[in-house]
C-alpha cells in the first residue's frame, strides 16, 4: 500500500488555511449586514476542524514525498479545496444547488472563471469576495504546483524546469522554499498594486479587490454579470490588462527581473514568443475589424487588445461581447482558446512554452527531410532539450486533443449545439472561462446547462488544471500495483 | 540549381496517360449523343501533346531521383494532374467557372470528393465518368505515393514503411516495381468485382462504374445529388461498404493476404486498431440512437455502419442525412472526420497508424512517470520505432492542428458560420468530402461558398493529400538554396 499519511497531512494543513479566509468573508458580510456571515463562520469552523484533525491524525510521517505520493497529493488537494470552496455557496442564503456550488468552486479554484450564477451585481459582498478568493488562492496554487510539483513529477515537459539536478538535498529544498516565498510575495505585491490603482480610479474597494484577485490569477470571475463591460472605463481595462499579462508571465523570471536581471525575463524564448503572439493576434483581428466594420481605430485596437489578452492569458474577462464582431473574430477567439500563457504562471492552456517547442520540432523536421543524416538538436534558449521532455510535450498536446474529441460529443449529448459543446470543452480544459455562442459566450453564462454537463465540465477543469497526465497516472492500474 | 528534368519527364509521362482516359469519356458521350465528346477529344489531344512534349524535351536525364527532386515531383504531379482534370469541366457545355472546375478536379484527384456541381442526375455521362475517373486514378496515385515516395522522403512517419534498408540498388527498384504492379492489379481487380456486383444488383453500368471507382478510391464523388441515398438499396450500400473498407486498408498487406498470408493483414496492429475503432464508433452512435430515437434497430445499425465507415475511411458517401440524427451523432461525425484509414491505402486523414502510435507514446509516458529511470521502447508489432519516426508523426499531427487553427478563421472571413468553416477545413485536410451543417453537410454541397473559400479549400485538399510536410519542405528557403 502507498503511505498516504504525508499527503493527508499536507491536505489538512492546506484546508486549515481556508479558515482565516472564510472568516474575512464573514466579517465582510457582517459589515454589510448580510445573514450569510453565519454561513462563513460555520464553514470556517468546519474547515479548520477538519483540517487540523486530518493534519494531527497524520502527524509525524516523513515529509519527503515519493513520486506516488506526489501524484496523489496534487490530485487530492485540488479536489478537497474545490469541495471546501463549494460549501459557503451551497449553504448560503442563495438558492444554489450542490451541482452549481461545486461547478462554481471548481471553476474558481482552477482559475477557470466560468460561472453559473446570475444577479452578481446584487449579491452579498462576502460571497463575491469568496469567489474571488478561490480564484486568487487557486492562482497561487497553480504557480506553486508548476514550479515545485510538476517538474518533480516530470509532467508535460515541465521536467525542464527542475531547479536542481538532484532534488533530494536539503539545500535544494531550502532553495525551493525561498523561491516559493518570493513568488508569494510578488503575487501579493502585484495584487496590492492593482487594488490600489483600481481604487484610485474610483472603483469600489470590494470590486477592486475581487477584480485584482481575478486578474492576477487569470481567473476571470467578476462581481458583475456584464463582467468588465460594467465599468465602461479605459482606465479599469488598462489596469486589468496589465494584471492579466503579469499573471500569465513566468513568475520565477519576474523574480529575477526584480533582482536586477530583467533580461532573463525578456530574453526568455517563451516570454518573447508569447508577447509576439499576442501582438500578432491583436493586429490581425484589429485589421479585419478596421476593414470590415465602422468602429473607430482606437476603439478597435483597445477593445481587441483587452479581449485577446483576456482569452490568451486564459483570464476570461470580457469588456464587450466580442462574438458580435463577426464570423472571423469569432473563429479567431475559439482558436486562441487553447493557447494559454507561459509556464510558471497562473495561466492554463497548452502554453507558449509547448507551442514554441512544437514549432521548433516541426521546423527541425522540415530542415532534416533533405539531409537524412543530419541530426538537429532541439533547443530552448541555450539549453538542449532531451527526448523525454519532447515526448511529454507531444503527449500532453495529443491528450488535450483526445479530451476534446472524446468529450465534445458527451456535452453534445446533453442537448446543446456543436459549437457550445466544443467551446465549453476547450475552455474548460484550458481553464479559460467563456466559450463561443450566445449561451456560454462572454455575454452568457453556464447556468442553463444540464447538471450532467456541469459535472463533466467541472471534471475537465480539474483535468486541465492538473495537466491531464497527473490525473491519468493516478487512474492507471500501475499506480496502484506494486 | 536543382535539375528538374527527370521531374518534368515523369510528369510528362503521367500527363499523357490521361489521354486514353479522356478518349474513353469522349466515347461515352458520343454514345449518349452528347456534344461534350468533342471537348474530351480536344482535351485529350492537348494533354497528350503537352505530355509527350514535356517528356521528350526532358528525355535522357538520369531517372534516379534525389530527395529534392522527389519532393518536387510529388508536388508538381498532383498540381498538374489537378489542372488537367479541370479542363474537361471548364470547357464542357455546362456553365462551370474556372474556380469551380479547379475545385472539382482537385477534389477528385485528391479523392476528397467535395462537389460544387448540382443537377448531377441529369448530367452527361462523359463528365460523370470523368469525375469518377479522377477519383479512381487519384486513389491509385495515393497508394503509390504512400508506398514509394513518402517512405523515401521520410514524411510523417512513413519512413517506417521503407521496403529496403538500402533503396538505391537495382534489386530494390525491381522489387518496388513488382509491388506497384501487383497493387495496381489488385486495385483494378477490386474495382471490377465491385462493378460486377453492383450491375448484378440492377445498378446501371455507368453508375456501377462511377460508384465503384469512388468507393475503392475512398473518393466519394457520386452521380446523384442525393449520393448513395438515391439508390435506397441495402444491397448497393453493402457492396459499397465493403468497397470503402477495402480502399482504406493497407494494400501491400492485402497483396500478402492474396499470397496466402492473411494473418499479415489481420494481425497488423494498425489494421486491427482501425477495424476495432470502426466497431466502437458504430456501437456508440447506434446505442445513442436506439435510446434517443424511435427508428428500428436494424435500420439504425445499418445506417450508422454505412455512414461511419464512409467518414472514417474518408470516402464521404452518404446514404442519408446523418446530421439529422441529433446533436450527439453530429458531434461524433465531426470528431471522426480527421481519423482516416490505414497507411498504404487510398484514405486520407491522420490515419490509424499514427493514432495508434501516438496512443502508444501516451501510454508509455504514463507508465514511465512513476519510474523515472525506466525507458520503454515504442513498438509497432515486433518492430521498435525510432525517434525520427515518432517525431515525424508528432510533427504531422501538430501541423494538421495548426492548419485547422490557422485556416478556420480564413474560411470564416469569407462569410460562413464557424461550424461550416471548421468542418470544411477539417474535411479538406483529411480528404473526406462532406462537412457539418446544412450548407456543406451530406445533404448540401460546396457550390454556395465564395471563390476565395473554394481556392483555399482546394489548396488544403492538396496540402492534406501531400501530408502537409511535402508542401512545406518545398516552401522552405533551405529547399532552394545550396
Ligand atoms: K480563466
Ligand atoms: K473522400
Amino acid at each position: 500500500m502507498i503511505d498516504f499519511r504525508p499527503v493527508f497531512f499536507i491536505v489538512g494543513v492546506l484546508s486549515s488555511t481556508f479558515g482565516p479566509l472564510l472568516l474575512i468573508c464573514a466579517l465582510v458580510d457582517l459589515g454589510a449586514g448580510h445573514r450569510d456571515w453565519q454561513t462563513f463562520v460555520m464553514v470556517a469552523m468546519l474547515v479548520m476542524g477538519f483540517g487540523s484533525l486530518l493534519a494531527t491524525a497524520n502527524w509525524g510521517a516523513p515529509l519527503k514525498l515519493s513520486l506516488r505520493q506526489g501524484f496523489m497529493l496534487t490530485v487530492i488537494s485540488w479536489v478537497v479545496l474545490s469541495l471546501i470552496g463549494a460549501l459557503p455557496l451551497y449553504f448560503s442564503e442563495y438558492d444554489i444547488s450542490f451541482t452549481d456550488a461545486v461547478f462554481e468552486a471548481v471553476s474558481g479554484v482552477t482559475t477557470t472563471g466560468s460561472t453559473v450564477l446570475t444577479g452578481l451585481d446584487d449579491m452579498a459582498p462576502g460571497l463575491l469576495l469568496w469567489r474571488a478568493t478561490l480564484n486568487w488562492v487557486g492562482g497561487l496554487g497553480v504557480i506553486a504546483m508548476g514550479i515545485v510539483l510538476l517538474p518533480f513529477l516530470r509532467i508535460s515537459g515541465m521536467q525542464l524546469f527542475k531547479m536542481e539536478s538532484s532534488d533530494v538535498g536539503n539545500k535544494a529544498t531550502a532553495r525551493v522554499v525561498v523561491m516559493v516565498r518570493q513568488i508569494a510575495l510578488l503575487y501579493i505585491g502585484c495584487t496590492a498594486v492593482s487594488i490600489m490603482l483600481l481604487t484610485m480610479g474610483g472603483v469600489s474597494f470590494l470590486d477592486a479587490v475581487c477584480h485584482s484577485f481575478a486578474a492576477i490569477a487569470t481567473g476571470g470571475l467578476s462581481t458583475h454579470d456584464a463582467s468588465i463591460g460594467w465599468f465602461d472605463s479605459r482606465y479599469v481595462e488598462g489596469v486589468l490588462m496589465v494584471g492579466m499579462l503579469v499573471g500569465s508571465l513566468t513568475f520565477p523570471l519576474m523574480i529575477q527581473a526584480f533582482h536586477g536581471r530583467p533580461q532573463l525575463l525578456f530574453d526568455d524564448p517563451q516570454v518573447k514568443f508569447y508577447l509576439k503572439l499576442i501582438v500578432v493576434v491583436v493586429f490581425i483581428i484589429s485589421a479585419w475589424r478596421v476593414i470590415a466594420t465602422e468602429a473607430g481605430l482606437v476603439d478597435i485596437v483597445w477593445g481587441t487588445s483587452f479581449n485577446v489578452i483576456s482569452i490568451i492569458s486564459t483570464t476570461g474577462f470580457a469588456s464587450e461581447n466580442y462574438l458580435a464582431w463577426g464570423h472571423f473574430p469569432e473563429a479567431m477567439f475559439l482558436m486562441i482558446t487553447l493557447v494559454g500563457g507561459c509556464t510558471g504562471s497562473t495561466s492554463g492552456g497548452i502554453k507558449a512554452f509547448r507551442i514554441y517547442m512544437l514549432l521548433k520540432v516541426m521546423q527541425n523536421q522540415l530542415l532534416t527531410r533533405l539531409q537524412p543524416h543530419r541530426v538537429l538538436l532541439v533547443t530552448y534558449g541555450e539549453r538542449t532539450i532531451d527526448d523525454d521532455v519532447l515526448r511529454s510535450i507531444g503527449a500532453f498536446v495529443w491528450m488535450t486533443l483526445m479530451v476534446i474529441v472524446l468529450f465534445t460529443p458527451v456535452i453534445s449529448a446533453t442537448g446543446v449545439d456543436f459549437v457550445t459543446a466544443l467551446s465549453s470543452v476547450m475552455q474548460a480544459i484550458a481553464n479559460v472561462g467563456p466559450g463561443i455562442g450566445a449561451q456560454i459566450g462572454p455575454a452568457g453564462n453556464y447556468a442553463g446547462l444540464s447538471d450532467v454537463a456541469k459535472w463533466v465540465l467541472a471534471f475537465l477543469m480539474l483535468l486541465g488544471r492538473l495537466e491531464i497526465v497527473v490525473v491519468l497516472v493516478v487512474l492507471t492500474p500501475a499506480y496502484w500495483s506494486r
Side-chain angles (χ1 to χ4, degrees), chain A:
Chain A
M1 256 313 280
I2 306 160
D3 180 8
F4 285 137
R5 284 176 303 154
V7 172
F8 291 147
F9 175 76
I10 297 174
V11 170
V13 172
L14 286 176
S15 303
S16 304
T17 58
F18 266 12
L21 298 171
L22 283 157
L23 290 178
I24 293 175
C25 293
L27 280 176
V28 169
D29 260 359
L30 191 63
H34 196 281
R35 271 199 354 200
D36 266 344
W37 71 269
Q38 299 167 354
T39 311
F40 281 109
V41 171
M42 186 193 77
V43 176
M45 285 163 57
L46 197 75
V47 163
M48 286 191 282
F50 163 81
S52 38
L53 208 69
L54 200 62
T56 40
N58 296 285
W59 180 269
L63 268 180
K64 209 176 119 319
L65 292 180
S66 71
L67 274 172
R68 273 188 171 72
Q69 291 165 336
F71 276 100
M72 189 48 75
L73 173 65
T74 314
V75 173
I76 294 224
S77 44
W78 287 98
V79 171
V80 170
L81 295 189
S82 297
L83 290 178
I84 292 177
L87 296 180
L89 293 152
Y90 182 57
F91 290 118
S92 77
E93 281 238 300
Y94 299 91
D95 186 27
I96 302 173
S97 71
F98 183 64
T99 301
D100 280 358
V102 170
F103 181 95
E104 192 83 5
V106 170
S107 166
V109 168
T110 59
T111 79
T112 306
S114 308
T115 186
V116 285
L117 303 181
T118 46
L120 296 172
D121 304 72
D122 301 321
M123 207 164 264
L127 210 61
L128 293 175
L129 180 61
W130 180 242
R131 290 164 77 243
T133 304
L134 292 180
N135 259 189
W136 193 64
V137 171
L140 188 56
V142 172
I143 307 176
M145 176 177 73
I147 289 166
V148 182
L149 276 171
L150 298 182
F152 168 59
L153 304 177
R154 300 184 306 130
I155 292 303
S156 57
M158 297 296 285
Q159 51 266 56
L160 182 64
F161 301 108
K162 258 189 191 169
M163 274 180 278
E164 293 289 305
S165 53
S166 99
D167 35 32
V168 279
N170 285 325
K171 248 192 182 167
T173 310
R175 210 168 296 175
V176 168
V177 171
V178 169
M179 171 63 90
V180 170
R181 190 181 299 147
Q182 286 183 338
I183 283 171
L185 282 175
L186 178 62
Y187 190 74
I188 294 168
C190 291
T191 311
V193 170
S194 168
I195 294 173
M196 214 180 62
L197 289 173
L198 287 178
T199 318
M200 278 163 50
V203 176
S204 77
F205 188 66
L206 178 75
D207 272 6
V209 169
C210 289
H211 288 92
S212 298
F213 277 14
I216 194 85
T218 63
L221 284 174
S222 173
T223 58
H224 301 288
D225 290 342
S227 190
I228 308 308
W230 186 86
F231 296 100
D232 196 17
S233 150
R234 287 255 166 90
Y235 178 79
V236 172
E237 288 167 17
V239 172
L240 292 178
M241 231 189 287
V242 175
M244 297 188 286
L245 264 182
V246 167
S248 61
L249 293 179
T250 309
F251 273 75
L253 294 178
M254 287 196 283
I255 299 277
Q256 297 288 351
F258 265 91
H259 286 172
R261 293 183 287 274
Q263 76 282 5
L264 286 182
L265 176 64
F266 293 109
D267 285 353
D268 184 62
Q270 157 168 244
V271 171
K272 281 200 289 190
F273 175 75
Y274 174 61
L275 296 176
K276 275 186 208 159
L277 187 69
I278 289 178
V279 171
V280 169
V281 173
V282 168
F283 177 81
I284 292 173
I285 297 182
S286 298
W288 188 90
R289 290 181 68 197
V290 166
I291 295 165
T293 70
E294 289 179 0
L297 181 65
V298 177
D299 275 348
I300 285 178
V301 174
W302 184 267
T304 306
S305 301
F306 184 89
N307 293 289
V308 165
I309 290 176
S310 170
I311 297 300
I312 296 196
S313 70
T314 73
T315 309
F317 280 149
S319 68
E320 56 184 298
N321 182 7
Y322 47 76
L323 298 183
W325 293 349
H327 283 315
F328 175 72
E330 181 188 9
M332 287 291 289
F333 270 100
L334 185 55
M335 292 304 157
I336 59 175
T337 294
L338 287 180
V339 171
C342 301
T343 52
S345 76
T346 63
S347 231
I350 293 176
K351 297 200 182 76
F353 165 64
R354 298 196 190 96
I355 296 174
Y356 175 81
M357 294 312 299
L358 287 170
L359 289 175
K360 279 218 144 184
V361 169
M362 187 179 117
Q363 187 191 34
N364 278 7
Q365 275 285 316
L366 294 182
L367 290 177
T368 52
R369 287 317 92 182
L370 296 173
Q371 292 161 297
H373 302 297
R374 187 167 163 199
V375 175
L376 272 180
L377 295 172
V378 182
T379 55
Y380 180 77
E382 287 171 3
R383 300 170 68 176
T384 303
I385 306 305
D386 70 29
D387 268 338
D388 188 54
V389 172
L390 294 178
R391 286 195 193 176
S392 292
I393 293 173
F396 174 76
V397 173
W398 175 243
M399 286 182 210
T400 304
L401 199 64
M402 294 288 290
V403 167
I404 294 168
V405 167
L406 293 176
F407 283 92
T408 299
V410 173
I411 300 292
S412 290
T414 69
V416 297
D417 65 281
F418 176 75
V419 177
T420 302
L422 174 71
S423 66
S424 71
V425 171
M426 283 171 68
Q427 68 75 25
I429 201 80
N431 301 121
V432 171
I436 301 287
Q439 189 173 7
I440 61 166
N445 66 59
Y446 290 77
L449 294 184
S450 70
D451 278 4
V452 174
K454 286 172 187 166
W455 281 103
V456 171
L457 290 177
F459 169 72
L460 292 179
M461 292 175 206
L462 281 168
L463 195 66
R465 190 74 281 177
L466 298 175
E467 316 252 314
I468 306 174
V469 189
V470 178
V471 178
L472 292 189
V473 166
V474 172
L475 294 178
T476 53
Y479 179 88
W480 297 95
S481 70
R482 276 284 170 181

